[in-house]
Amino acid sequence: MTALLVVVALVAVALVGWAIAEAKSKVCTYHNDEEEEAALQRTLDNQKKAEYAEMDIHDVMQTISTKGFKAV
């Protein structure tokens, strides 16, 4: 019987924590300030200068070596 009460108490605590997290995410919003936006823009500009291209999973699979120690 006590094990059942412990499980019910854990579920109740989890639900209360989840409700608090949901309420907090709806009330508190985060916005980048000007300094963070400038740093992000500098990073994007540097990536563009270096001809950086983000790869999807198919590109990664074509360029990755899956041979392990044989690749070295």
Side-chain angles (χ1 to χ4, degrees):
M1 188 67 176
T2 46
L4 181 63
L5 290 175
V6 169
V7 170
V8 170
L10 286 174
V11 169
V13 168
L15 288 174
V16 169
W18 174 67
I20 291 171
E22 283 291 323
K24 184 178 176 185
S25 71
K26 293 197 190 289
V27 172
C28 301
T29 57
Y30 177 77
H31 299 287
N32 290 337
D33 60 0
E34 291 86 19
E35 186 177 324
E36 290 173 334
E37 288 292 332
L40 178 62
Q41 190 60 41
R42 282 194 307 271
T43 302
L44 293 174
D45 291 341
N46 288 338
Q47 288 177 349
K48 189 180 282 187
K49 286 179 190 175
E51 298 180 6
Y52 172 80
E54 189 170 340
M55 296 191 297
D56 62 359
I57 189 65
H58 300 293
D59 296 332
V60 172
M61 290 304 291
Q62 289 175 355
T63 59
I64 196 169
S65 174
T66 56
K67 297 176 186 173
F69 287 112
K70 293 179 185 176
V72 179

